[in-house]
Amino acid sequence: EMDSATPLIADEFKGRDEFKGRDEMGLSKSPELQTEAEARAKYWSMLSVLVFLQAPVLGWLLYLAFRFIPGQAANLDKKFAFIVKYDLGWVFVSLLIVLLMKSYQTINSNGARAAARVDRPDQHIYKIMSPNKPFVDAPYILMAT
């Protein structure tokens, strides 16, 4: 039994038009529809700036800032000496490779999603498959959110 003070999630969405901005099949009818290539290019440039520009700059700034905190320069030197002594640079290279693979998966999924007109949070679309009426022309089914 639910506490009467806990609002139901459904109450938050009462009166909201779930079909606003959707076509007769339930898909997004956004005027800024992108092709897969356009969406991939957008996400490629966005993630490239993040991975190859913003993250390294932030890392260097944090490193340099910590060098000026009393006692931290010696700690940082010890940690880097440990990494060099035990040849652990490959661990950081492997983390970068995993990050790059994850970024490329994001580019692929978001590129395909844009061309399919399936926005977040739906991300999945189903079609009723039936040769018989009335389901033969049924609209797509979107994941309930």
Side-chain angles (χ1 to χ4, degrees):
E1 188 173 322
M2 287 186 55
D3 179 10
S4 61
T6 306
L8 294 174
I9 295 173
D11 290 344
E12 180 181 334
F13 297 105
K14 280 186 181 172
R16 187 182 79 159
D17 184 6
E18 292 184 21
F19 298 100
K20 182 179 179 183
R22 297 188 182 270
D23 65 10
E24 64 280 351
M25 296 298 280
L27 299 176
S28 172
K29 59 179 180 181
S30 172
E32 55 197 48
L33 185 63
Q34 295 177 322
T35 65
E36 184 173 351
E38 291 170 338
R40 284 175 51 88
K42 177 181 88 173
Y43 285 105
W44 181 263
S45 66
M46 181 177 66
L47 289 173
S48 295
V49 167
L50 176 69
V51 171
F52 297 112
L53 180 68
Q54 292 174 341
V57 167
L58 181 62
W60 274 104
L61 288 174
L62 286 172
Y63 169 74
L64 293 173
F66 274 101
R67 295 241 11 130
F68 291 108
I69 296 175
Q72 289 301 313
N75 285 339
L76 288 172
D77 292 339
K78 285 181 199 175
K79 290 177 184 187
F80 281 113
F82 180 84
I83 291 168
V84 170
K85 179 180 179 182
Y86 292 103
D87 195 24
L88 297 175
W90 63 272
V91 174
F92 298 98
V93 172
S94 65
L95 288 173
L96 176 63
I97 290 170
V98 168
L99 172 69
L100 293 175
M101 289 188 311
K102 184 178 177 281
S103 298
Y104 195 72
Q105 287 176 332
T106 300
I107 291 168
N108 279 339
S109 66
N110 288 345
R113 192 175 291 128
R117 299 185 304 157
V118 181
D119 295 331
R120 288 189 174 133
D122 298 321
Q123 297 185 12
H124 300 279
I125 187 167
Y126 304 95
K127 181 170 175 60
I128 298 173
M129 300 302 288
S130 174
N132 304 322
K133 293 281 182 185
F135 299 113
V136 70
D137 295 321
Y140 294 117
I141 300 169
L142 301 175
M143 178 181 273
T145 56

